[in-house]
Amino acid sequence: MRSLLAKLNLAWALVLHFLKRPFQDNGYRAFLDHYRADRLVPLSHVDKTWLLRFSQCLNCGLCDAACPALDTLPRESFPGPSALVTTLTRATGDFWAAGVDLSLCEGCRNCESVCPNRVPVKEALEFIEAKALETARGTA
Ligand code: SF4
Ligand code: SF4
């Protein structure tokens, strides 16, 4: 009899578990809220793959020397491809405060053709923009 009651109890707990499931927060929202103050957003597997590519930058500066945007713009508004790849891809939470205008990139890809490691700078800019928007949405 006790065994039957225990099994019924277990079965009832299982039924309740599945009934409540659609209404439960699986913790994802709480996880995001925990990092809200630091303006951190989750990184997908694809994001991590891109970060790995950006981390192949040697910081040699060859891309900056080949960047036409840096011939005319101050570094405060456009810091140049090497700084974007080495710094801003890892600090997208600070993007808006940095006051950088990514539209100032002319899209010529000179930076990539001179890069010894073929770091995808254009994709780095797109990554920064996407993550910065995601951060803004997450902290709004
Ligand atoms: S040329 Fe390539 S390796 Fe050198 S600083 Fe630019 S992105 Fe980095
Ligand atoms: S693609 Fe943008 S960052 Fe790269 S060299 Fe051209 S203007 Fe500079």
Side-chain angles (χ1 to χ4, degrees):
M1 184 64 183
R2 287 177 68 178
S3 161
L4 179 64
L5 280 175
K7 283 176 186 162
L8 282 173
N9 195 29
L10 201 58
W12 179 239
L14 189 66
V15 169
L16 282 181
H17 170 76
F18 283 111
L19 284 176
K20 282 186 202 163
R21 209 168 174 182
F23 306 103
Q24 278 176 337
D25 182 350
N26 61 6
Y28 183 66
R29 180 51 49 195
F31 173 82
L32 292 181
D33 287 346
H34 186 71
Y35 292 99
R36 191 184 297 274
D38 295 325
R39 287 171 294 150
L40 294 175
V41 288
L43 293 173
S44 67
H45 178 68
V46 174
D47 291 337
K48 287 176 193 167
T49 308
W50 278 119
L51 278 173
L52 207 59
R53 290 284 287 112
F54 307 148
S55 73
Q56 287 168 345
C57 172
L58 308 166
N59 212 3
C60 65
L62 286 174
C63 52
D64 289 348
C67 176
L70 281 182
D71 287 341
T72 53
L73 295 166
R75 295 250 180 186
E76 298 80 51
S77 52
F78 189 73
S82 69
L84 291 170
V85 166
T86 54
T87 310
L88 217 50
T89 52
R90 293 163 214 180
T92 50
D94 296 326
F95 174 77
W96 302 108
V100 173
D101 184 355
L102 294 181
S103 70
L104 295 171
C105 166
E106 298 175 16
C108 61
R109 291 195 188 253
N110 284 0
C111 44
E112 293 175 11
S113 34
V114 297
C115 177
N117 275 352
R118 291 285 181 266
V119 175
V121 178
K122 196 77 175 51
E123 279 73 15
L125 301 195
E126 287 164 10
F127 175 90
I128 293 165
E129 201 160 36
K131 294 315 270 185
L133 281 172
E134 209 178 302
T135 307
R137 277 198 299 268
T139 55

